[in-house]
Every structure is written in structure tokens, then in C-alpha cells.
Amino acid sequence: MRKIIQLIILIFFYTNLAKGQFNIPESPKKIYPIQDYTGVLSKKQIEKLNQKLISYSKITSTEILISIIQDLHGEDPNFLAAQWGEKWKIGKSHKNNGIVILLSINDRKISIQNGYGIEPYITDFLTTKIIEKAKPILKNNLYYLAIDSCIQEVFQTLQNQYHHKKQKKKVLPMWNFFIYMSVFFVMLFLLSRKKIIDSSLLNNLLITDFLFRNKNFNNHEDEDSFDGFGGGGNFGGGGGSGNW
């Protein structure tokens, strides 16, 4: 009878142990900053945060991944966040400048873990300050505002770190400029000869087109230029966690 009871206890223990494990998902082909597995963020909120974090990564090369899960299943949030960053290789190669912010909704826990390249700039003390500032917001279930608060604090802390070299602004090619100027003077000559020219046609073919092309040439940014996070990893550079 005792052996049967022991067997039942062992089966119960190992069954619960298996249930307690949290399996980090396989990384998608294109890793976006916001990974919400709970639905606590709206589509619009996800888009705003993604845009902000993608723009930041393009400027600084620092990658910040936000993972929102329902339950830790008994896992340590710091260990899980670090393992997530390691598995998905968050950060740039040779820079290891990745950050993972993990939120567990049911456990009401948050963890921020850094790659080794971030360690000199975001210490454990500063991580704790970032978390403490977000706690009152999280207590009110304002997850979007809490996440935004965390990333703004990270931006401020990492100010002037890992910035890409500024690229020279593209200018309109010289030959293109001469073509437009030639057309302009031809139009003026025709006008001086009192030829009838539709002003709207002049505007569309010359001035508006020139300005439009010039503006797009200088400022257009391909929305599909984001290749996704990944390539780094090497987590274990400090961090912290807290309950809200």
C-alpha cells in the first residue's frame, strides 16, 4: 500500500513539474518588438509601440523586446526573460545590446533583463528604478502606459549610446536639377512669346512635380525596410524584477 501511495505522489509531482515549465516560443521569421500573447494591448497600441521601438533600433541599433505572457507557470521571471533574449538572439551581433521586458499578467510580475553590452549603462539599480516607476501604472492595469514608461526610461538612460553614424542626406542629382531648370526657362521663354499655356499644366509638370519628387527623394522611408530583431543574444548582463 505504501509503495502505491509513493507511486501516486511521484506521478503527481512529475505531472505538476511538467505543467510548471514554460516553453519559450520559437522565434518567428520576422521578430517584431511587441509580443503580446495575452491580448491586453489593442492593435493600435501594438502598432504605436512597434513603430517607436523599430525607429529606436534603427537609430541606435539597440533592440528592446516586450514579451507579455499570461502565466509564468512557476518559472523565475528573470531567468525566463534572459533565456528568451538568448533564444531569440535579441540585440546586434558583437554588441549584445538587447533588452527583454517580460510581463506576466496573472503573476503580476515584471522583469527587465539586459544583454552584456547594456550592462555598463543600465545597472541593476537603474533597472529597479525603471520598474518601480512602472508599478503604480501596472496596478491600474494600464499596460500600454506602463510599457511606454519603461521604454522611455530606457531611452533616457541609454542616451547617446550605440548610435549609428549619421548618414549624409541624399540630395537631388545635379543632372536632374539642370533638366528641371531647363524646362523652367523654356516655359518662361514661351510665356514671354505670349503663347497660351494652361497654368495648371505648368504647375503639374514643373513646380509641383519638382517639389514632390524632391521631398520624396530626401525624406521617403521604406516601411518594409525593417528586417526584424535578432542576431545578438549573450544575455546575463544584469537586470531586475518586481511585483505590482
Tab-separated table of all heavy atoms in Angstrom, residues 55-108:
chain	number	residue	atom	x	y	z
A	55	SER	N	11.943	52.331	-34.771
A	55	SER	CA	12.673	53.574	-35.057
A	55	SER	C	13.887	53.707	-34.153
A	55	SER	O	14.971	54.091	-34.598
A	55	SER	CB	11.752	54.783	-34.876
A	55	SER	OG	10.696	54.758	-35.801
A	56	TYR	N	13.706	53.356	-32.881
A	56	TYR	CA	14.816	53.444	-31.920
A	56	TYR	C	15.941	52.474	-32.296
A	56	TYR	O	17.127	52.821	-32.219
A	56	TYR	CB	14.303	53.145	-30.513
A	56	TYR	CG	15.356	53.288	-29.443
A	56	TYR	CD1	15.795	54.550	-29.046
A	56	TYR	CD2	15.917	52.172	-28.828
A	56	TYR	CE1	16.763	54.688	-28.062
A	56	TYR	CE2	16.874	52.303	-27.843
A	56	TYR	CZ	17.297	53.562	-27.463
A	56	TYR	OH	18.260	53.698	-26.492
A	57	SER	N	15.568	51.271	-32.726
A	57	SER	CA	16.592	50.284	-33.088
A	57	SER	C	17.355	50.706	-34.338
A	57	SER	O	18.541	50.421	-34.476
A	57	SER	CB	15.953	48.908	-33.305
A	57	SER	OG	15.161	48.894	-34.479
A	58	LYS	N	16.658	51.400	-35.254
A	58	LYS	CA	17.335	51.870	-36.466
A	58	LYS	C	18.334	52.978	-36.159
A	58	LYS	O	19.372	53.087	-36.794
A	58	LYS	CB	16.292	52.363	-37.477
A	58	LYS	CG	15.510	51.250	-38.151
A	58	LYS	CD	14.529	51.803	-39.161
A	58	LYS	CE	13.781	50.685	-39.877
A	58	LYS	NZ	12.811	51.210	-40.865
A	59	ILE	N	18.004	53.806	-35.180
A	59	ILE	CA	18.887	54.919	-34.818
A	59	ILE	C	20.053	54.453	-33.968
A	59	ILE	O	21.197	54.873	-34.168
A	59	ILE	CB	18.096	56.005	-34.067
A	59	ILE	CG1	17.038	56.630	-34.978
A	59	ILE	CG2	19.020	57.099	-33.528
A	59	ILE	CD1	16.050	57.518	-34.259
A	60	THR	N	19.783	53.564	-33.012
A	60	THR	CA	20.799	53.201	-32.018
A	60	THR	C	21.346	51.792	-32.163
A	60	THR	O	22.372	51.478	-31.564
A	60	THR	CB	20.218	53.332	-30.597
A	60	THR	OG1	19.201	52.341	-30.423
A	60	THR	CG2	19.628	54.710	-30.371
A	61	SER	N	20.631	50.930	-32.890
A	61	SER	CA	20.934	49.501	-33.041
A	61	SER	C	20.511	48.689	-31.821
A	61	SER	O	20.600	47.462	-31.828
A	61	SER	CB	22.424	49.240	-33.354
A	61	SER	OG	23.219	49.305	-32.193
A	62	THR	N	20.040	49.330	-30.763
A	62	THR	CA	19.584	48.628	-29.561
A	62	THR	C	18.196	48.039	-29.803
A	62	THR	O	17.288	48.729	-30.255
A	62	THR	CB	19.531	49.575	-28.345
A	62	THR	OG1	20.841	50.090	-28.106
A	62	THR	CG2	19.050	48.847	-27.103
A	63	GLU	N	18.041	46.765	-29.483
A	63	GLU	CA	16.773	46.069	-29.689
A	63	GLU	C	16.089	45.805	-28.345
A	63	GLU	O	16.683	45.192	-27.452
A	63	GLU	CB	17.003	44.760	-30.435
A	63	GLU	CG	17.589	44.962	-31.826
A	63	GLU	CD	17.821	43.669	-32.577
A	63	GLU	OE1	17.629	42.589	-31.974
A	63	GLU	OE2	18.218	43.745	-33.754
A	64	ILE	N	14.854	46.269	-28.228
A	64	ILE	CA	14.075	46.079	-26.998
A	64	ILE	C	12.866	45.217	-27.324
A	64	ILE	O	11.994	45.622	-28.092
A	64	ILE	CB	13.616	47.426	-26.406
A	64	ILE	CG1	14.830	48.327	-26.139
A	64	ILE	CG2	12.821	47.202	-25.116
A	64	ILE	CD1	14.456	49.729	-25.682
A	65	LEU	N	12.827	44.025	-26.741
A	65	LEU	CA	11.718	43.098	-26.959
A	65	LEU	C	10.784	43.138	-25.758
A	65	LEU	O	11.225	43.048	-24.612
A	65	LEU	CB	12.246	41.680	-27.145
A	65	LEU	CG	11.190	40.603	-27.378
A	65	LEU	CD1	10.657	40.684	-28.805
A	65	LEU	CD2	11.742	39.202	-27.097
A	66	ILE	N	9.483	43.277	-26.020
A	66	ILE	CA	8.473	43.263	-24.971
A	66	ILE	C	7.684	41.966	-25.101
A	66	ILE	O	6.981	41.752	-26.100
A	66	ILE	CB	7.496	44.456	-25.081
A	66	ILE	CG1	8.261	45.774	-25.279
A	66	ILE	CG2	6.573	44.506	-23.877
A	66	ILE	CD1	9.081	46.213	-24.114
A	67	SER	N	7.799	41.089	-24.112
A	67	SER	CA	7.058	39.826	-24.118
A	67	SER	C	6.005	39.861	-23.020
A	67	SER	O	6.340	40.034	-21.841
A	67	SER	CB	8.003	38.644	-23.894
A	67	SER	OG	8.924	38.529	-24.961
A	68	ILE	N	4.757	39.695	-23.409
A	68	ILE	CA	3.653	39.709	-22.449
A	68	ILE	C	3.009	38.327	-22.448
A	68	ILE	O	2.463	37.884	-23.464
A	68	ILE	CB	2.601	40.776	-22.806
A	68	ILE	CG1	3.269	42.128	-23.042
A	68	ILE	CG2	1.546	40.885	-21.717
A	68	ILE	CD1	2.331	43.190	-23.587
A	69	ILE	N	3.082	37.650	-21.308
A	69	ILE	CA	2.532	36.299	-21.192
A	69	ILE	C	1.451	36.266	-20.128
A	69	ILE	O	1.343	37.184	-19.297
A	69	ILE	CB	3.637	35.276	-20.874
A	69	ILE	CG1	4.314	35.603	-19.536
A	69	ILE	CG2	4.667	35.222	-21.999
A	69	ILE	CD1	5.313	34.553	-19.078
A	70	GLN	N	0.671	35.204	-20.130
A	70	GLN	CA	-0.425	35.088	-19.170
A	70	GLN	C	0.059	34.590	-17.821
A	70	GLN	O	-0.364	35.068	-16.778
A	70	GLN	CB	-1.498	34.132	-19.705
A	70	GLN	CG	-2.874	34.331	-19.089
A	70	GLN	CD	-3.515	35.641	-19.509
A	70	GLN	OE1	-3.621	35.924	-20.690
A	70	GLN	NE2	-3.938	36.448	-18.557
A	71	ASP	N	0.979	33.602	-17.852
A	71	ASP	CA	1.399	32.953	-16.604
A	71	ASP	C	2.830	32.446	-16.726
A	71	ASP	O	3.226	31.953	-17.785
A	71	ASP	CB	0.450	31.784	-16.293
A	71	ASP	CG	0.483	31.389	-14.830
A	71	ASP	OD1	1.560	30.993	-14.349
A	71	ASP	OD2	-0.571	31.468	-14.164
A	72	LEU	N	3.572	32.551	-15.640
A	72	LEU	CA	4.958	32.075	-15.611
A	72	LEU	C	5.045	30.569	-15.392
A	72	LEU	O	6.101	29.973	-15.628
A	72	LEU	CB	5.729	32.772	-14.479
A	72	LEU	CG	6.094	34.233	-14.695
A	72	LEU	CD1	6.498	34.876	-13.377
A	72	LEU	CD2	7.202	34.376	-15.720
A	73	HIS	N	3.973	29.971	-14.902
A	73	HIS	CA	3.954	28.537	-14.584
A	73	HIS	C	5.088	28.161	-13.628
A	73	HIS	O	5.724	27.115	-13.784
A	73	HIS	CB	4.030	27.691	-15.859
A	73	HIS	CG	2.854	27.868	-16.760
A	73	HIS	ND1	1.585	27.397	-16.466
A	73	HIS	CD2	2.728	28.494	-17.966
A	73	HIS	CE1	0.747	27.702	-17.431
A	73	HIS	NE2	1.406	28.380	-18.353
A	74	GLY	N	5.327	29.031	-12.676
A	74	GLY	CA	6.333	28.741	-11.658
A	74	GLY	C	7.748	29.114	-12.029
A	74	GLY	O	8.662	28.982	-11.215
A	75	GLU	N	7.964	29.576	-13.219
A	75	GLU	CA	9.322	29.939	-13.651
A	75	GLU	C	9.758	31.251	-12.997
A	75	GLU	O	8.933	32.119	-12.707
A	75	GLU	CB	9.373	30.102	-15.173
A	75	GLU	CG	9.134	28.820	-15.950
A	75	GLU	CD	10.367	27.951	-16.031
A	75	GLU	OE1	11.373	28.260	-15.357
A	75	GLU	OE2	10.328	26.960	-16.780
A	76	ASP	N	11.061	31.412	-12.834
A	76	ASP	CA	11.615	32.667	-12.350
A	76	ASP	C	11.588	33.679	-13.493
A	76	ASP	O	12.098	33.394	-14.585
A	76	ASP	CB	13.056	32.471	-11.877
A	76	ASP	CG	13.685	33.766	-11.415
A	76	ASP	OD1	13.428	34.188	-10.283
A	76	ASP	OD2	14.416	34.374	-12.221
A	77	PRO	N	10.984	34.862	-13.289
A	77	PRO	CA	10.844	35.832	-14.393
A	77	PRO	C	12.178	36.310	-14.954
A	77	PRO	O	12.303	36.530	-16.165
A	77	PRO	CB	10.060	36.983	-13.759
A	77	PRO	CG	10.260	36.847	-12.290
A	77	PRO	CD	10.400	35.384	-12.036
A	78	ASN	N	13.184	36.464	-14.088
A	78	ASN	CA	14.497	36.917	-14.558
A	78	ASN	C	15.150	35.871	-15.461
A	78	ASN	O	15.695	36.196	-16.525
A	78	ASN	CB	15.418	37.215	-13.374
A	78	ASN	CG	14.969	38.423	-12.591
A	78	ASN	OD1	14.356	39.338	-13.133
A	78	ASN	ND2	15.249	38.444	-11.299
A	79	PHE	N	15.079	34.621	-15.014
A	79	PHE	CA	15.667	33.529	-15.798
A	79	PHE	C	14.947	33.395	-17.134
A	79	PHE	O	15.583	33.255	-18.187
A	79	PHE	CB	15.567	32.216	-15.012
A	79	PHE	CG	16.065	31.009	-15.771
A	79	PHE	CD1	17.427	30.771	-15.904
A	79	PHE	CD2	15.171	30.126	-16.362
A	79	PHE	CE1	17.885	29.669	-16.617
A	79	PHE	CE2	15.620	29.027	-17.073
A	79	PHE	CZ	16.976	28.794	-17.196
A	80	LEU	N	13.618	33.472	-17.099
A	80	LEU	CA	12.828	33.305	-18.316
A	80	LEU	C	13.096	34.434	-19.317
A	80	LEU	O	13.263	34.185	-20.521
A	80	LEU	CB	11.339	33.257	-17.977
A	80	LEU	CG	10.385	32.992	-19.143
A	80	LEU	CD1	10.694	31.665	-19.822
A	80	LEU	CD2	8.944	33.021	-18.668
A	81	ALA	N	13.149	35.671	-18.830
A	81	ALA	CA	13.396	36.821	-19.711
A	81	ALA	C	14.782	36.721	-20.352
A	81	ALA	O	14.940	36.989	-21.558
A	81	ALA	CB	13.267	38.122	-18.926
A	82	ALA	N	15.783	36.342	-19.556
A	82	ALA	CA	17.145	36.209	-20.081
A	82	ALA	C	17.224	35.088	-21.114
A	82	ALA	O	17.868	35.231	-22.163
A	82	ALA	CB	18.124	35.955	-18.945
A	83	GLN	N	16.554	33.962	-20.813
A	83	GLN	CA	16.554	32.838	-21.745
A	83	GLN	C	15.829	33.186	-23.042
A	83	GLN	O	16.211	32.743	-24.123
A	83	GLN	CB	15.894	31.616	-21.090
A	83	GLN	CG	16.742	30.963	-20.021
A	83	GLN	CD	18.058	30.441	-20.574
A	83	GLN	OE1	18.081	29.651	-21.517
A	83	GLN	NE2	19.163	30.883	-20.002
A	84	TRP	N	14.792	34.009	-22.920
A	84	TRP	CA	14.032	34.450	-24.106
A	84	TRP	C	14.933	35.287	-25.021
A	84	TRP	O	14.979	35.095	-26.226
A	84	TRP	CB	12.819	35.267	-23.670
A	84	TRP	CG	11.699	35.296	-24.658
A	84	TRP	CD1	11.777	35.529	-26.008
A	84	TRP	CD2	10.316	35.049	-24.389
A	84	TRP	NE1	10.530	35.469	-26.588
A	84	TRP	CE2	9.611	35.176	-25.622
A	84	TRP	CE3	9.583	34.765	-23.237
A	84	TRP	CZ2	8.223	35.019	-25.716
A	84	TRP	CZ3	8.207	34.601	-23.330
A	84	TRP	CH2	7.544	34.730	-24.562
A	85	GLY	N	15.643	36.227	-24.408
A	85	GLY	CA	16.564	37.063	-25.183
A	85	GLY	C	17.671	36.263	-25.827
A	85	GLY	O	18.111	36.556	-26.946
A	86	GLU	N	18.112	35.218	-25.120
A	86	GLU	CA	19.179	34.359	-25.625
A	86	GLU	C	18.681	33.513	-26.796
A	86	GLU	O	19.350	33.411	-27.827
A	86	GLU	CB	19.661	33.442	-24.496
A	86	GLU	CG	20.957	32.721	-24.789
A	86	GLU	CD	22.173	33.611	-24.686
A	86	GLU	OE1	22.236	34.456	-23.791
A	86	GLU	OE2	23.063	33.453	-25.545
A	87	LYS	N	17.495	32.930	-26.628
A	87	LYS	CA	16.939	32.041	-27.653
A	87	LYS	C	16.603	32.803	-28.931
A	87	LYS	O	16.851	32.306	-30.041
A	87	LYS	CB	15.689	31.339	-27.119
A	87	LYS	CG	15.085	30.327	-28.096
A	87	LYS	CD	13.928	29.572	-27.474
A	87	LYS	CE	13.349	28.556	-28.459
A	87	LYS	NZ	12.253	27.758	-27.853
A	88	TRP	N	16.053	34.004	-28.781
A	88	TRP	CA	15.658	34.798	-29.954
A	88	TRP	C	16.783	35.699	-30.452
A	88	TRP	O	16.607	36.429	-31.420
A	88	TRP	CB	14.422	35.633	-29.621
A	88	TRP	CG	13.154	34.843	-29.581
A	88	TRP	CD1	13.029	33.499	-29.346
A	88	TRP	CD2	11.830	35.340	-29.778
A	88	TRP	NE1	11.711	33.134	-29.372
A	88	TRP	CE2	10.946	34.231	-29.642
A	88	TRP	CE3	11.302	36.604	-30.037
A	88	TRP	CZ2	9.566	34.370	-29.766
A	88	TRP	CZ3	9.922	36.736	-30.165
A	88	TRP	CH2	9.077	35.629	-30.034
A	89	LYS	N	17.930	35.667	-29.754
A	89	LYS	CA	19.130	36.428	-30.157
A	89	LYS	C	18.832	37.924	-30.292
A	89	LYS	O	19.170	38.563	-31.302
A	89	LYS	CB	19.701	35.881	-31.470
A	89	LYS	CG	20.094	34.417	-31.403
A	89	LYS	CD	20.739	33.951	-32.689
A	89	LYS	CE	21.070	32.470	-32.641
A	89	LYS	NZ	21.963	32.095	-31.533
A	90	ILE	N	18.201	38.479	-29.271
A	90	ILE	CA	17.845	39.895	-29.290
A	90	ILE	C	19.094	40.753	-29.108
A	90	ILE	O	19.904	40.513	-28.206
A	90	ILE	CB	16.813	40.221	-28.185
A	90	ILE	CG1	15.570	39.341	-28.358
A	90	ILE	CG2	16.433	41.690	-28.208
A	90	ILE	CD1	14.887	39.473	-29.707
A	91	GLY	N	19.243	41.770	-29.950
A	91	GLY	CA	20.429	42.618	-29.934
A	91	GLY	C	21.240	42.398	-31.204
A	91	GLY	O	20.955	41.494	-31.993
A	92	LYS	N	22.222	43.232	-31.386
A	92	LYS	CA	23.067	43.130	-32.572
A	92	LYS	C	24.297	42.271	-32.288
A	92	LYS	O	24.820	42.253	-31.174
A	92	LYS	CB	23.516	44.520	-33.035
A	92	LYS	CG	22.378	45.397	-33.539
A	92	LYS	CD	21.679	44.781	-34.730
A	92	LYS	CE	20.575	45.684	-35.251
A	92	LYS	NZ	19.769	45.038	-36.308
A	93	SER	N	24.743	41.588	-33.318
A	93	SER	CA	25.926	40.745	-33.202
A	93	SER	C	27.140	41.573	-32.788
A	93	SER	O	27.344	42.677	-33.281
A	93	SER	CB	26.199	40.058	-34.539
A	93	SER	OG	27.351	39.261	-34.471
A	94	HIS	N	27.911	41.048	-31.866
A	94	HIS	CA	29.134	41.665	-31.331
A	94	HIS	C	28.851	42.873	-30.427
A	94	HIS	O	29.778	43.402	-29.812
A	94	HIS	CB	30.099	42.088	-32.453
A	94	HIS	CG	30.446	40.975	-33.389
A	94	HIS	ND1	31.052	39.809	-32.968
A	94	HIS	CD2	30.257	40.839	-34.727
A	94	HIS	CE1	31.243	39.014	-34.005
A	94	HIS	NE2	30.762	39.607	-35.090
A	95	LYS	N	27.580	43.318	-30.372
A	95	LYS	CA	27.237	44.421	-29.477
A	95	LYS	C	26.475	43.912	-28.264
A	95	LYS	O	26.588	44.474	-27.177
A	95	LYS	CB	26.399	45.473	-30.210
A	95	LYS	CG	27.168	46.239	-31.262
A	95	LYS	CD	26.316	47.335	-31.876
A	95	LYS	CE	27.096	48.136	-32.903
A	95	LYS	NZ	26.283	49.231	-33.501
A	96	ASN	N	25.703	42.844	-28.465
A	96	ASN	CA	24.902	42.253	-27.385
A	96	ASN	C	24.091	43.313	-26.646
A	96	ASN	O	24.029	43.342	-25.423
A	96	ASN	CB	25.808	41.496	-26.402
A	96	ASN	CG	26.576	40.382	-27.089
A	96	ASN	OD1	26.010	39.576	-27.820
A	96	ASN	ND2	27.882	40.356	-26.897
A	97	ASN	N	23.505	44.210	-27.433
A	97	ASN	CA	22.762	45.336	-26.859
A	97	ASN	C	21.253	45.112	-26.941
A	97	ASN	O	20.503	45.942	-27.409
A	97	ASN	CB	23.149	46.654	-27.548
A	97	ASN	CG	22.976	46.597	-29.058
A	97	ASN	OD1	22.930	45.529	-29.650
A	97	ASN	ND2	22.883	47.756	-29.676
A	98	GLY	N	20.852	43.924	-26.507
A	98	GLY	CA	19.437	43.596	-26.464
A	98	GLY	C	18.868	43.761	-25.062
A	98	GLY	O	19.585	43.634	-24.066
A	99	ILE	N	17.574	44.064	-25.005
A	99	ILE	CA	16.859	44.189	-23.730
A	99	ILE	C	15.538	43.446	-23.870
A	99	ILE	O	14.855	43.578	-24.880
A	99	ILE	CB	16.585	45.663	-23.376
A	99	ILE	CG1	17.893	46.435	-23.246
A	99	ILE	CG2	15.771	45.780	-22.086
A	99	ILE	CD1	17.706	47.947	-23.107
A	100	VAL	N	15.196	42.661	-22.856
A	100	VAL	CA	13.904	41.980	-22.835
A	100	VAL	C	13.117	42.472	-21.622
A	100	VAL	O	13.604	42.419	-20.484
A	100	VAL	CB	14.054	40.450	-22.763
A	100	VAL	CG1	12.675	39.792	-22.588
A	100	VAL	CG2	14.731	39.914	-24.021
A	101	ILE	N	11.914	42.970	-21.885
A	101	ILE	CA	10.995	43.363	-20.806
A	101	ILE	C	9.862	42.347	-20.822
A	101	ILE	O	9.102	42.261	-21.784
A	101	ILE	CB	10.451	44.787	-21.011
A	101	ILE	CG1	11.611	45.784	-21.042
A	101	ILE	CG2	9.467	45.149	-19.905
A	101	ILE	CD1	11.194	47.227	-21.306
A	102	LEU	N	9.774	41.565	-19.754
A	102	LEU	CA	8.790	40.493	-19.656
A	102	LEU	C	7.717	40.850	-18.642
A	102	LEU	O	8.019	41.250	-17.512
A	102	LEU	CB	9.484	39.196	-19.236
A	102	LEU	CG	8.587	37.994	-18.961
A	102	LEU	CD1	7.993	37.449	-20.262
A	102	LEU	CD2	9.356	36.893	-18.236
A	103	LEU	N	6.450	40.715	-19.042
A	103	LEU	CA	5.326	40.928	-18.131
A	103	LEU	C	4.497	39.649	-18.053
A	103	LEU	O	4.153	39.067	-19.091
A	103	LEU	CB	4.415	42.058	-18.613
A	103	LEU	CG	4.865	43.503	-18.364
A	103	LEU	CD1	5.882	43.920	-19.420
A	103	LEU	CD2	3.693	44.452	-18.398
A	104	SER	N	4.211	39.210	-16.827
A	104	SER	CA	3.316	38.082	-16.613
A	104	SER	C	2.051	38.621	-15.946
A	104	SER	O	2.097	39.078	-14.798
A	104	SER	CB	3.971	37.014	-15.730
A	104	SER	OG	3.066	35.957	-15.491
A	105	ILE	N	0.928	38.564	-16.673
A	105	ILE	CA	-0.297	39.213	-16.209
A	105	ILE	C	-0.880	38.546	-14.970
A	105	ILE	O	-1.184	39.224	-13.981
A	105	ILE	CB	-1.346	39.225	-17.347
A	105	ILE	CG1	-0.768	39.916	-18.591
A	105	ILE	CG2	-2.619	39.922	-16.877
A	105	ILE	CD1	-0.276	41.323	-18.365
A	106	ASN	N	-1.026	37.228	-14.983
A	106	ASN	CA	-1.617	36.536	-13.828
A	106	ASN	C	-0.732	36.619	-12.591
A	106	ASN	O	-1.229	36.736	-11.462
A	106	ASN	CB	-1.896	35.070	-14.165
A	106	ASN	CG	-3.048	34.914	-15.138
A	106	ASN	OD1	-3.808	35.862	-15.363
A	106	ASN	ND2	-3.197	33.735	-15.722
A	107	ASP	N	0.581	36.537	-12.782
A	107	ASP	CA	1.520	36.592	-11.655
A	107	ASP	C	1.755	38.020	-11.183
A	107	ASP	O	2.317	38.223	-10.112
A	107	ASP	CB	2.866	35.970	-12.053
A	107	ASP	CG	2.737	34.522	-12.465
A	107	ASP	OD1	2.506	33.678	-11.593
A	107	ASP	OD2	2.861	34.241	-13.673
A	108	ARG	N	1.383	38.987	-12.021
A	108	ARG	CA	1.604	40.405	-11.733
A	108	ARG	C	3.092	40.680	-11.467
A	108	ARG	O	3.461	41.299	-10.476
A	108	ARG	CB	0.737	40.872	-10.552
A	108	ARG	CG	-0.755	40.654	-10.794
A	108	ARG	CD	-1.601	41.107	-9.627
A	108	ARG	NE	-1.668	42.562	-9.551
A	108	ARG	CZ	-2.510	43.317	-10.244
A	108	ARG	NH1	-3.356	42.753	-11.094
A	108	ARG	NH2	-2.512	44.625	-10.123
